[in-house]
Amino acid sequence: MSALPTKLETLAVHGGKPVREKLLPYGRQSLDDADIQSVVEVLKSDWLTTGPKIAEFEERFAAWVGARHAISFSSGTAALHGAAFAAGLAPGDEAITTPMTFCATANCILYQGATPVFADVSPDTLNLDPAQVSRKINARTKAIFAVDYAGHPAALDELSQLAKAQVPRAFLIEDASHAVGAEYGGKRVGGIADMTIFSFHPVKHLTTGEGGMVTTNDAQLAEILRRFRNHGISSEARQRQEAGQWFYEMVLLGFNYRLTDIACALGLSQLEKLDANLARRREIAVQYTAAFRELPVLCPAVREGVNPAWHLYPIRLRLEMLATGRAEIFRALRAENIGVNVHYVPVHQHPYYRERFKSEERYPVAEDAYERLISLPMFHGMTDRDVDDAVHAVQKVVRHYSR
Ligand SMILES: Cc1ncc(COP(=O)(O)O)c(C=O)c1O
């Protein structure tokens, strides 16, 4: 681990030598020969889609997260849409969610014709603040979509109590796209909320290229989700082929949101490495937190009883102690070839949301955080050298601008 540089180095943005020659991305997948072999086997088999790898991946994933049912989808976004449908969201309904997320979390509420209602986040975790949710919840609230921001589980107990106290009862839907393997109260997320959503995009802990999953302990919800992702049809092609039957019925309006056997074979192989991937991300988070202790930045908080999964490592700049803003620091880090990013532009600030809802409402915690956030590289394939480079660059740049 590099120590704090003793004298100020010239920043790359000012013509100095960059910390790295080649860009270190903020996230990327790691694939090995076993992953490739697993996919090749499916490519040589009879079933590229709707075949046996799907149930195998779903069963193994459900067991790994500790849920009774897992239903695969073609993306995390499709999985969110499935959950919004299964919760029965319809025009006239409201669903409460966080502005500090990728727009897909709120968009799935709109797909169902329902209204997203934003509630501000807690200053420590940037997760949905239950006190703000309780101000927004009412008889029209059908669901709360909580997000495990950066991989830190949301306040699931408090949010679940709020959802259950509602008449009629609202659903707690956890968008754990960042949080596969995160623990809450000693349990992995996946079987805690009414439905939990995962994403298998390449920057995540486990990838299928594109892909997603909904997990639930509720057999009825699982059945609706299975039909929804297959056009609303009550049986699957392979079941019909094996039973020698042609007849099928479409019983609800669904979509083709199926994940292929090709993708599920990759998922099965990636699942083998999930524990190791999580361990590596946790190790990197510890190193970052230790390295930035003396700098005017706020590292991500970890609440008691929680073990985050560290999809992201977002620092917040203490702008009061810096001579410049986030944009300049971001630019300087990129010039050092550190692939920093920002998560997220608060959803209500996107032009589509501003124009559609014309709301004047402010979310001070999320909005203030947005001005300060920078996500550092965080992926399980990072070498010690990569971590050192990221640490070195942050120290170099932030010290340069410290007052
Ligand atoms: C919080 C959150 N929800 C949903 C999604 C959508 O997932 P996908 O890209 O698999 O559709 C993402 C994607 O990164 C995300 O970060």
Side-chain angles (χ1 to χ4, degrees):
M1 175 73 43
S2 33
L4 274 174
T6 46
K7 66 179 176 53
L8 291 182
E9 303 165 81
T10 308
L11 301 188
V13 78
H14 298 150
K17 186 173 179 294
V19 166
R20 287 171 72 91
E21 287 302 313
K22 238 183 105 199
L23 184 81
L24 174 67
Y26 97 88
R28 64 159 288 138
Q29 73 278 10
S30 300
L31 298 183
D32 63 15
D33 288 346
D35 294 320
I36 294 165
Q37 193 49 38
S38 181
V39 170
V40 167
E41 276 166 27
V42 167
L43 292 175
K44 291 178 176 170
S45 79
D46 289 341
W47 295 96
L48 299 189
T49 190
T50 71
K53 287 291 171 195
I54 297 170
E56 199 183 326
F57 181 41
E58 291 174 341
E59 279 160 26
R60 294 263 299 279
F61 188 85
W64 195 90
V65 300
R68 277 196 210 118
H69 311 276
I71 302 91
S72 60
F73 279 80
S74 52
S75 67
T77 304
L80 278 165
H81 189 185
F85 178 86
L89 283 187
D93 294 333
E94 294 179 359
I96 299 175
T97 193
T98 162
M100 189 45 72
T101 186
F102 183 58
C103 52
T105 319
N107 291 350
C108 76
I109 300 164
L110 293 175
Y111 296 160
Q112 285 302 112
T115 304
V117 173
F118 295 106
D120 208 353
V121 293
S122 301
D124 59 341
T125 58
L126 303 185
N127 277 334
L128 210 44
D129 179 348
Q132 297 298 324
V133 172
S134 74
R135 291 181 48 231
K136 300 287 176 91
I137 201 161
N138 66 66
R140 287 188 301 279
T141 309
K142 210 159 220 173
I144 300 171
F145 282 79
V147 172
D148 300 336
Y149 175 75
H152 186 297
L156 298 174
D157 285 341
E158 293 91 327
L159 294 173
S160 171
Q161 275 164 21
L162 285 169
K164 283 185 183 145
Q166 209 43 47
V167 184
R169 182 191 182 293
F171 288 88
L172 176 60
I173 300 170
E174 181 183 3
D175 181 347
S177 292
H178 297 183
V180 65
E183 291 159 31
Y184 180 87
K187 276 166 60 176
R188 281 184 181 151
V189 301
I192 303 171
D194 294 309
M195 287 177 269
T196 306
I197 279 79
F198 298 92
S199 159
F200 305 137
H201 180 276
V203 294
K204 303 293 178 359
H205 306 63
L206 174 169
T207 190
T208 58
E210 298 282 359
M213 194 75 88
V214 184
T215 58
T216 181
N217 289 327
D218 185 316
Q220 229 175 328
L221 290 174
E223 189 58 26
I224 296 169
L225 288 158
R226 265 198 194 95
R227 289 176 175 179
F228 183 75
R229 65 117 187 249
N230 188 32
H231 307 278
I233 290 172
S234 58
S235 63
E236 300 208 355
R238 195 163 59 98
Q239 292 171 335
R240 292 196 297 276
Q241 176 163 316
E242 283 170 1
Q245 284 176 354
W246 58 270
F247 184 74
Y248 64 83
E249 286 177 311
M250 184 194 129
V251 292
L252 54 84
L253 185 60
F255 289 78
N256 178 353
Y257 278 157
R258 296 186 300 254
L259 191 60
T260 64
D261 282 61
I262 305 167
C264 288
L266 181 54
L268 278 162
S269 172
Q270 287 264 299
L271 202 47
E272 300 285 334
K273 287 156 277 221
L274 192 45
D275 285 298
N277 292 353
L278 271 163
R280 178 63 182 145
R281 284 170 181 261
R282 287 177 175 143
E283 209 171 77
I284 296 166
V286 168
Q287 289 176 17
Y288 275 161
T289 304
F292 304 144
R293 202 166 286 137
E294 310 280 304
L295 292 184
V297 302
L298 198 65
C299 290
V302 178
R303 284 197 179 173
E304 222 173 288
V306 158
N307 191 4
W310 300 106
H311 163 52
L312 302 173
Y313 191 93
I315 56 170
R316 271 179 277 172
L317 302 171
R318 292 186 198 266
L319 295 173
E320 320 67 54
M321 297 162 76
L322 293 165
T324 192
R326 191 260 311 273
E328 183 59 23
I329 292 183
F330 184 95
R331 215 161 64 82
L333 286 166
R334 278 282 177 98
E336 301 295 343
N337 278 324
I338 303 300
V340 284
N341 217 319
V342 173
H343 299 90
Y344 287 100
V345 177
V347 180
H348 65 282
Q349 291 185 359
H350 284 296
Y352 179 85
Y353 278 85
R354 282 209 314 265
E355 280 156 31
R356 177 157 173 177
F357 294 102
K358 298 193 167 36
S359 168
E360 297 291 315
E361 186 162 0
R362 308 250 58 99
Y363 304 90
V365 181
E367 290 171 16
D368 176 73
Y370 170 56
E371 299 300 328
R372 299 164 182 270
L373 280 166
I374 295 187
S375 300
L376 303 184
M378 170 57 88
F379 54 96
H380 39 269
M382 281 177 82
T383 63
D384 290 343
R385 175 73 199 273
D386 293 336
V387 179
D388 276 357
D389 287 346
V391 165
H392 179 176
V394 171
Q395 290 175 340
K396 179 178 168 183
V397 169
V398 173
R399 281 190 79 214
H400 177 91
Y401 290 109
S402 292
R403 285 193 218 261

